[in-house]
């Protein structure tokens, strides 16, 4: 979240101290200090006038005027010629969407009550301390953002879930979760839908690396904001040249702990109110934020590779979701990635092991065709003839993320599909369905003594 701050400090030494501390606040954009009450009111008036110039036919201040105002105004107690409390009262009456914080040497209860009555949102005591200043500025900014939503400042406020939410989770690390999420998002965007791609692999997310993005905002900047306005969302979401809106994971992995399930629900609701489709890369580590996303999703994809270790991990994750009442197995769609014609474990067998629905479109192994684009961080430039891209875009069509013509364009050739599914497999034809409930004596890899059975 970007917080625009306008300090009103008359004393040069105090102004330098305030500016120095404000420059250290994350997400803060402090303006040069104004030196008196007249300059402060004039600056706010000019912000409103700039918005009014764009809508001359509307009577009174336009709704967009609030977006031109700073979120926070700092008023020093020795500002003049208008006394500080009177100045705060005037700002609160004329510019109600601005959070005002008083800087004073007397932070006692009497002055605090008087400042609150005048319309201030907080008091910071002198000498200034970073922690106290940061807390008061953040609180005032969040209050201002909430007021602007209700005032309809310039943009349509979020009105609740509307778009489709799709989560992509890996059975374990390295199974192709991010490639799947990126290509599904690109396919939907190519079909003309507005798409947000969220990296909720909070400690080791790589969406930025796969799409060659350098952007200092992340999902952490939205934590703690109860009413996420469109403007706040725009500040945090990177507009990629492909047309995707990217909400990235933090560069400092330890900051991912700040995103809890409540923050994830708030952020995803705000995204769904603006985008037709929200694709979330949940990674393979199930934390509270990712669990909330899976629970809220319209479609939950579980990506696995066709090997014993990974299918066991997928089965373990599905059981975890069921125990925590996050999602039932039958409501989960498993995507089998890196399938080859010589693979012993085929998609129907994966479905029986995990109890999930397996996507009809498997994704072939394509290490050589993927490697140059992964190394260059240009996954959006993956060749349209790539069998991996064709399979993932066909998967997007199967999931209803793109229309039928676009899905057909993404499908591979008939020969490519036959090479994945045409070979006769003993594992699927030898006797009863191994590993299914009620078949304890059934032979095969998924029987009670097989490698997929736990404990």
């Amino acid at each position: 979240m970007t917080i625009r701050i306008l300090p009103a400090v008359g004393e040069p030494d105090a102004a330098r101290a305030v500016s120095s501390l404000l420059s250290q606040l994350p997400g803060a954009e402090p303006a040069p200090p104004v030196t008196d009450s007249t300059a402060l009111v004039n600056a706010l008036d000019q912000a409103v006038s700039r918005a009014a110039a764009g809508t001359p036919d509307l009577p009174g201040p336009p709704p967009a005027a609030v977006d031109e105002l700073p979120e926070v105004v700092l008023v020093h107690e020795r500002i003049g010629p208008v006394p500080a409390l009177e100045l705060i009262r005037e700002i609160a009456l004329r510019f109600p969407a601005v959070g005002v914080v008083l800087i004073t040497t007397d932070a006692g209860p009497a002055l605090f009550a008087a400042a609150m009555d005048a319309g201030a949102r907080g008091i910071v005591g002198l000498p200034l301390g970073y922690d106290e200043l940061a807390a008061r500025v953040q609180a005032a900014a969040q209050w201002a953002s909430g007021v602007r939503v209700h005032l309809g400042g310039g943009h349509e406020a979020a009105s609740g879930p509307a778009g489709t939410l799709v989560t992509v989770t890996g059975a374990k690390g390295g199974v192709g979760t991010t490639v799947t999420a990126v290509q599904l998002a690109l396919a939907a965007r190519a079909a003309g839908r507005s798409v947000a791609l969220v990296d909720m692999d909070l400690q080791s997310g790589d969406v930025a690396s796969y799409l060659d993005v350098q952007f200092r905002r992340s999902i952490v900047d939205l934590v703690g904001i109860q009413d996420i306005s469109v403007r706040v969302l725009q500040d945090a979401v990177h507009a990629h040249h492909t047309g995707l809106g990217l909400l990235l994971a933090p560069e400092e992995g330890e900051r991912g702990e700040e995103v809890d399930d409540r923050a994830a629900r708030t952020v995803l609701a705000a995204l769904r109110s603006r985008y037709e489709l929200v694709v979330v890369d949940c990674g393979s580590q199930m934390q509270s934020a990712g669990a909330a996303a899976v629970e809220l999703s319209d479609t939950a994809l579980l990506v696995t590779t066709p090997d014993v270790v990974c299918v066991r991990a997928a089965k373990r994750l599905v059981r975890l979701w069921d125990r925590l009442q996050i999602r039932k197995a039958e409501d989960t769609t498993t995507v089998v990635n890196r399938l080859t014609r010589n693979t012993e474990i085929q998609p129907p067998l994966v479905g029986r092991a995990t109890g999930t629905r397996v996507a009809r479109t498997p994704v072939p192994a394509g290490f050589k065709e993927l490697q140059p684009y992964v190394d260059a961080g240009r996954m959006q430039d993956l060749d349209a003839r790539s069998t991996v891209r064709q399979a993932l875009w066909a998967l997007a069509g199967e999931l209803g993320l793109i229309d039928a013509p676009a899905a057909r364009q993404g499908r591979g050739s008939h020969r490519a599909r036959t090479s994945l599914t045409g070979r006769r497999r003993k594992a699927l034809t030898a006797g009863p369905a191994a590993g299914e409930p009620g078949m304890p004596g059934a032979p095969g890899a998924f029987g009670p003594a097989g490698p997929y059975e736990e404990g």
Side-chain angles (χ1 to χ4, degrees):
M1 174 184 178
T2 301
I3 304 174
R4 294 166 298 173
I5 307 170
L6 178 57
V9 185
E11 297 181 354
D13 292 341
R16 284 192 293 271
V18 170
S19 297
S20 176
L21 286 176
L22 291 179
S23 65
Q24 302 175 38
L25 298 182
E29 291 184 359
V34 295
T35 57
D36 56 54
S37 58
T38 302
L40 173 60
V41 174
N42 287 342
L44 297 176
D45 279 332
Q46 289 173 7
V48 174
S49 298
R50 285 194 298 269
T55 55
D57 297 332
L58 293 179
V66 296
D67 284 339
E68 297 295 329
L69 293 168
E71 282 77 19
V72 179
V73 168
L74 299 179
V75 176
H76 192 273
E77 63 178 353
R78 297 183 182 177
I79 197 73
V82 177
L85 291 181
E86 292 185 20
L87 178 61
I88 292 173
R89 184 175 289 106
E90 181 180 358
I91 294 173
L93 290 173
R94 295 182 56 184
F95 311 100
V98 174
V100 185
V101 177
L102 175 64
I103 302 175
T104 178
T105 54
D106 178 15
L111 181 61
F112 181 85
M116 295 301 104
D117 290 341
R121 302 308 308 171
I123 289 181
V124 179
L126 291 171
L128 290 174
Y130 174 84
D131 292 338
E132 184 181 13
L133 180 63
R136 299 295 175 268
V137 167
Q138 289 282 354
Q142 291 178 19
W143 176 86
S145 298
V147 171
R148 294 176 191 210
V149 169
H150 295 293
L151 291 178
H155 300 282
E156 185 179 351
S159 57
T164 302
L165 177 61
V166 176
T167 56
V168 185
T169 308
K172 64 183 186 67
V175 297
T177 308
T178 302
V179 171
T180 300
V182 168
Q183 287 298 325
L184 291 178
L186 289 171
R189 180 59 193 148
R193 305 186 70 181
S194 61
V195 183
L197 176 59
V198 184
D199 194 346
M200 210 168 277
D201 188 358
L202 298 172
Q203 292 186 342
S204 54
D206 284 320
V207 168
S209 299
Y210 275 63
L211 294 175
D212 192 24
V213 172
Q214 293 182 350
F215 191 61
R216 63 191 182 96
R217 303 290 182 199
S218 74
I219 189 173
V220 175
D221 293 300
L222 298 177
V223 173
I225 303 176
Q226 300 299 321
D227 295 312
I228 301 178
S229 66
V230 176
R231 178 183 177 84
V232 170
L233 203 60
Q234 287 176 332
D235 288 338
V237 175
H238 173 71
H240 195 253
H241 66 82
T242 58
L244 296 178
L246 304 180
L247 185 57
L248 303 175
E251 290 188 4
E252 304 84 5
E254 65 274 13
R255 296 199 65 193
E257 297 179 357
E258 301 175 27
V259 186
D260 57 12
D261 57 338
R262 179 177 298 180
R265 292 174 188 276
T266 302
V267 170
L268 293 176
L271 289 168
R272 294 178 71 182
S273 71
R274 186 179 175 206
Y275 293 91
E276 296 178 70
L277 175 65
V278 179
V279 179
V280 182
D281 177 3
C282 293
S284 58
Q285 297 297 321
M286 189 49 52
Q287 300 173 339
S288 60
V294 172
E295 182 181 3
L296 292 172
S297 64
D298 300 293
T299 301
L301 300 181
L302 177 58
V303 181
T304 183
T305 51
D307 58 84
V308 171
V309 174
C310 197
V311 175
R312 288 192 68 181
K315 182 179 180 180
R316 190 163 55 244
L317 183 58
V318 169
R319 287 179 171 180
L320 173 66
W321 287 353
D322 185 62
R323 288 196 304 271
L324 298 179
Q325 298 183 352
I326 295 172
R327 201 170 196 90
K328 295 181 179 179
E330 56 267 27
D331 296 330
T332 302
T333 300
T334 298
V335 178
V336 180
N337 190 24
R338 298 176 190 158
L339 191 67
T340 67
R341 69 172 62 187
N342 298 319
T343 300
E344 190 67 27
I345 300 175
Q346 291 292 323
L349 201 56
V350 175
R352 289 203 295 273
T354 60
T356 62
R357 185 185 75 85
V358 177
R360 296 190 305 272
T361 309
V363 183
F367 297 102
K368 290 184 179 179
E369 62 187 48
L370 284 177
Q371 197 65 46
Y373 300 97
V374 172
D375 290 342
R378 305 285 297 177
M379 188 55 61
Q380 69 272 17
D381 295 333
L382 185 62
D383 196 320
R385 295 170 296 181
S386 162
T387 57
V388 174
R389 171 176 156 161
Q390 289 175 357
L392 287 172
W393 285 41
L395 175 63
E398 178 184 335
L399 298 174
L401 307 184
I402 59 179
D403 56 18
R408 285 196 295 270
Q409 292 174 5
R411 293 185 186 275
S413 65
H414 176 73
R415 176 174 298 186
R417 293 196 299 276
T418 302
S419 67
L420 294 177
T421 60
R423 191 171 67 90
R424 184 175 181 179
R425 295 176 292 278
K426 285 187 177 181
L428 300 182
T429 57
E436 290 184 340
M439 302 291 291
F446 292 90
Y452 290 93
E453 186 65 30
E454 301 178 44

